[in-house]
Amino acid sequence: MPGLLRGVARTAVISGTATAVSNRVSRRQAGRWAEQEAQQAPPPPPAPPPVPGDDMTLKMDQLKQLGDLKAQGVLTEEEFEAQKRRILA
């Protein structure tokens, strides 16, 4: 019986070690693949150039966006007024 227990214990140790090594190798390989994908990812497209137009049209668009943000509750009344003054200045 002691020989059987020793064999079972040895098998358990070998199996546990193999599992730990396999998991570590898998994590390292996944990290390498993620690193390669990050390096190969295309750069983000450049921002479109501002459309030439009259300054008042640009300000009106900004004020509309500001009003939408206020209506959604993103901006408080004070923040809205401060940004509005900045745009109109």
Side-chain angles (χ1 to χ4, degrees):
M1 192 70 151
L4 179 64
L5 287 177
R6 187 177 314 135
V8 169
R10 181 175 177 195
T11 302
V13 168
I14 291 170
S15 174
T17 302
T19 301
V21 169
S22 173
N23 288 341
R24 183 165 184 253
V25 168
S26 294
R27 282 192 305 268
R28 280 180 70 191
Q29 189 63 41
R32 286 181 182 165
W33 287 340
E35 192 176 290
Q36 282 179 344
E37 286 177 9
Q39 290 174 353
Q40 293 175 355
V51 178
D54 108 15
D55 190 42
M56 188 52 98
T57 304
L58 181 62
K59 287 182 181 183
M60 291 300 293
D61 289 340
Q62 289 176 338
L63 288 172
K64 285 178 186 176
Q65 290 175 350
L66 203 60
D68 290 342
L69 289 173
K70 182 182 171 218
Q72 293 172 5
V74 175
L75 294 175
T76 64
E77 183 67 34
E78 294 80 23
E79 293 170 330
F80 173 76
E81 290 298 325
Q83 292 298 322
K84 185 171 82 173
R85 280 192 301 273
R86 185 186 62 80
I87 291 171
L88 295 176

